[in-house]
Amino acid sequence: MSWDPALYERGHSFVWKLGADLIGLLAPQPGERILDVGCGTGQLTSQIAEAGADVTGIDASADMVAQARSNFAALTFEQADITAYRTDRTFDAVFSNAALHWVLDAEAAVASISGALRPGGRLVAEFGGKGNVGLVLGAVQELAGIANPWYFPSVGEYATLLERQCLEVAQAFLFNRPTRTEDGESGLRDWMRMFGRDWPRDETFLRAMEEGLRARLYRDGAWYIDYRRIRVVAIKL
Ligand code: BEZ
């Protein structure tokens, strides 16, 4: 999948602004080795580094990694697919914000995360959970017959997966977080352009999406995407 880092940084800063809260849960300590999975253009990796941790950001997209390196030249970024990620030096923590729903082979991703953690190390992650962007997906299905392309698990499903890979679940919950897009009236179509890669782009489709969703997702001059997050903290046994 190809990413446009400039479009991502220009209009979607809510992704890392909303993820800043997750760093509080991670509570990075000076000297800790931390792996940031799906680091994008590196803003949260940099915040983890500011706490004094020794952080490595990985992302499957070469373009995102190039932008992250350009943004934060002193930090370490690698292009890597989490499903195939292996390391000789384990980490004290694995962190991931708004990335794991892109990885359809979730079992392989969790196996790699588990393999990257030292015993007692922690996973702190947030991504799209069951029902995420349900209204948007319902409209895309109805208008274009396209199914959900992402992995949005329930708490039960994901906890089972973590436990199968030697990760003990300390916290796991789902919560609604309607998310305000930037750019006012064009916010929904910008969001679809950025994230709904294989969705139609023609004006007729975009208008029909806006008409179908306006009553539920547009207010006070902005589109609010119906995000529903799953947040987990798990400890490597
Ligand atoms: C999310 O962060 O939940 C998300 C972002 C893009 C596409 C789908 C979900």
Side-chain angles (χ1 to χ4, degrees):
M1 157 128 38
S2 73
W3 282 89
D4 178 345
L7 179 63
Y8 175 74
E9 289 196 318
R10 202 169 51 242
H12 304 85
S13 62
F14 61 82
V15 175
W16 64 85
K17 286 181 182 153
L18 292 170
D21 174 43
L22 195 63
I23 293 184
L25 194 58
L26 174 68
Q29 301 301 307
E32 277 195 316
R33 275 177 50 74
I34 298 182
L35 180 68
D36 179 7
V37 174
C39 62
T41 48
Q43 283 77 11
L44 294 178
T45 322
S46 155
Q47 289 183 33
I48 294 169
E50 279 167 17
D54 172 8
V55 61
T56 297
I58 63 168
D59 203 286
S61 159
D63 292 333
M64 290 298 224
V65 168
Q67 186 62 44
R69 286 181 178 143
S70 148
N71 288 344
F72 306 103
L75 302 185
T76 303
F77 296 98
E78 293 169 19
Q79 184 196 0
D81 173 351
I82 187 59
T83 64
Y85 185 77
R86 300 290 178 269
T87 179
D88 294 335
R89 289 187 65 206
T90 54
F91 291 87
D92 299 301
V94 172
F95 173 86
S96 185
N97 177 61
L100 292 173
H101 49 249
W102 293 98
V103 186
L104 299 184
D105 190 349
E107 182 101 44
V110 172
S112 296
I113 289 168
S114 180
L117 281 169
R118 65 163 172 80
R122 64 200 184 280
L123 165 67
V124 176
E126 183 180 309
F127 57 103
K130 190 174 174 68
N132 193 35
V133 299
L135 292 172
V136 175
L137 283 173
V140 173
Q141 171 76 58
E142 192 181 318
L143 291 168
I146 296 176
N148 175 14
W150 297 293
Y151 171 68
F152 297 145
S154 68
V155 163
E157 183 183 344
Y158 206 64
T160 302
L161 212 160
L162 292 170
E163 286 173 358
R164 268 208 302 271
Q165 298 295 339
C166 304
L167 289 159
E168 184 171 73
V169 180
Q171 292 182 39
F173 52 96
L174 269 178
F175 59 100
N176 293 331
R177 187 166 59 209
T179 297
R180 191 180 201 277
T181 59
E182 294 159 34
D183 294 334
E185 174 61 36
S186 65
L188 177 63
R189 53 177 67 199
D190 289 350
W191 186 92
M192 292 194 290
R193 213 174 276 136
M194 180 77 216
F195 298 118
R197 296 300 161 61
D198 299 328
W199 295 353
R201 308 226 145 191
D202 58 279
E203 189 59 27
T204 309
F205 171 75
L206 297 174
R207 283 257 167 94
M209 287 290 291
E210 287 166 348
E211 274 166 29
L213 293 171
R214 187 173 297 277
R216 283 169 296 178
L217 297 184
Y218 189 78
R219 57 184 175 276
D220 305 327
W223 287 95
Y224 287 77
I225 309 296
D226 54 332
Y227 275 19
R228 194 153 197 248
R229 321 310 288 164
I230 182 168
R231 187 176 274 198
V232 297
V233 178
I235 309 299
K236 172 75 181 283
L237 295 173

